[in-house]
Amino acid sequence: MRAFRYFLGAAGVGLLAARPALGQAAEVVARTQPAGPGTEKLFWFGLSTLGLVLLVFLVLFMALLLNLRLVLRKVYALPTVHDTWSGRALGLLVGDARLVTGEYRDELMGHDYDGITEYDNDLPPWWKYGFYLTIVFALVYVGYYHVARSGQLQLAEYETEMRQAARLVSAGPDDPNRLTTYAALSAPADLSAGKALFVTNCAPCHGANAEGKVGPNLTDDYWLHGGEINQVYKTIKFGVASKGMVAWKSKLAGKQILQLASYIKSLQGTKPANAKEPQGEKEAADSKPVAAQ
């Protein structure tokens, strides 16, 4: 009991001694303004003091265990304590590691085959408890994500993060992530202007009738980067460097790009001679759009 009282007294003195340093360390951590050199030193001093106090407590705790070891052994030997879970936890303090290693260790099972004997070894309790925990976790996971659908799966979480990231990017006219809502132009003047732009700028790669040469065929239902009018507009404006498609945003105005995209959309299903084989993914042919401008 004297050792226990000594431990409590030393703990109280340690807490009183560490209180100012711990308070200063907490105040430093709580500040939001940039820390200066002096503040940083004060923080590390407080952290070192805390570590020293914890070390002192550990040493005193070990000393207390050494003094109370005989008492703990007598308590551990009681039948009402020895085989309980709390008793096994107490056994770790007196040298019995059953809680970690298991009940049975290298015990013969009485089986002998040509001089080969069989031992019985318990699975370590920590392993068994961990296995039970994974079962509980799996049930909670399936219930939360697949039954109740309260959480986002990986794909939905990825899409959410991409949308959040897109908000941080400037949505100016030169931002390739900016969504447009244009409708294809159908006025003869616009389509005629789009045709002139196509012959001048696009025919060398896509053919005079958009049948496809170096570039893909633009008259079928297959598209490499989307066949909706706004996707075609984006492809023309920003290009696809990896496929050799140049960006026309510095050479054509926005109205010209929309006229060009509208003319390309008007060529769908024309089936020109010597058409290049389909490339990309097939998209359902949409109805002829109404002019937006």
Side-chain angles (χ1 to χ4, degrees):
M1 294 302 294
R2 283 188 302 173
F4 184 68
R5 288 197 297 270
Y6 172 76
F7 173 75
L8 291 180
V13 172
L15 285 175
L16 291 175
R19 183 177 176 182
L22 294 177
Q24 291 174 345
E27 181 181 357
V28 171
V29 174
R31 291 177 182 174
T32 57
Q33 64 268 26
T39 306
E40 184 178 355
K41 290 181 180 179
L42 184 61
F43 169 76
W44 288 112
F45 173 76
L47 192 62
S48 302
T49 305
L50 178 61
L52 181 60
V53 170
L54 293 176
L55 180 61
V56 171
F57 271 113
L58 180 62
V59 172
L60 293 177
F61 181 72
M62 296 302 296
L64 177 64
L65 286 181
L66 290 176
N67 281 276
L68 297 179
R69 194 164 187 178
L70 293 178
V71 177
L72 294 177
R73 284 186 179 277
K74 292 180 181 179
V75 173
Y76 179 63
L78 295 175
T80 56
V81 176
H82 187 271
D83 293 325
T84 63
W85 191 92
S86 58
R88 294 181 181 183
L90 180 62
L92 293 176
L93 302 177
V94 296
D96 189 346
R98 282 188 306 158
L99 185 64
V100 177
T101 61
E103 187 75 25
Y104 303 105
R105 188 70 177 173
D106 293 341
E107 291 195 8
L108 289 173
M109 299 185 65
H111 301 161
D112 189 341
Y113 302 95
D114 296 331
I116 301 174
T117 56
E118 184 177 357
Y119 286 94
D120 182 19
N121 289 314
D122 248 355
L123 286 173
W126 63 265
W127 188 95
K128 290 189 289 187
Y129 297 144
F131 178 69
Y132 300 149
L133 184 62
T134 60
I135 296 176
V136 174
F137 175 81
L139 294 175
V140 173
Y141 182 91
V142 171
Y144 183 77
Y145 287 100
H146 296 279
V147 179
R149 298 184 182 276
S150 300
Q152 291 183 329
L153 295 177
Q154 289 180 337
L155 180 59
E157 188 176 20
Y158 169 77
E159 293 174 348
T160 300
E161 290 181 357
M162 292 301 294
R163 286 194 297 269
Q164 292 173 346
R167 296 192 187 103
L168 302 177
V169 180
S170 172
D174 288 333
D175 178 14
N177 295 313
R178 180 173 178 245
L179 299 178
T180 56
T181 56
Y182 296 130
L185 306 175
S186 61
D190 290 318
L191 295 179
S192 177
K195 180 178 181 179
L197 291 169
F198 183 89
V199 171
T200 303
N201 301 296
C202 308
C205 288
H206 294 280
N209 298 309
E211 71 274 13
K213 288 185 177 180
V214 178
N217 178 5
L218 301 178
T219 65
D220 56 23
D221 296 330
Y222 291 82
W223 297 87
L224 291 169
H225 309 289
E228 196 270 331
I229 184 65
N230 290 281
Q231 294 172 321
V232 177
Y233 179 93
K234 177 181 176 181
T235 303
I236 297 172
K237 182 175 182 179
F238 297 104
V240 184
S242 61
K243 300 291 180 65
M245 171 69 183
V246 299
W248 293 93
K249 63 180 180 178
S250 61
K251 301 177 182 179
L252 301 177
K255 178 66 177 291
Q256 291 177 308
I257 295 176
L258 185 57
Q259 290 172 333
L260 178 56
S262 300
Y263 172 72
I264 292 173
K265 290 294 294 179
S266 72
L267 297 176
Q268 292 241 258
T270 54
K271 298 180 180 180
N274 302 318
K276 192 176 182 181
E277 67 278 1
Q279 293 176 274
E281 297 181 358
K282 186 175 182 179
E283 296 186 8
D286 52 4
S287 59
K288 294 298 180 181
V290 178
Q293 299 179 4

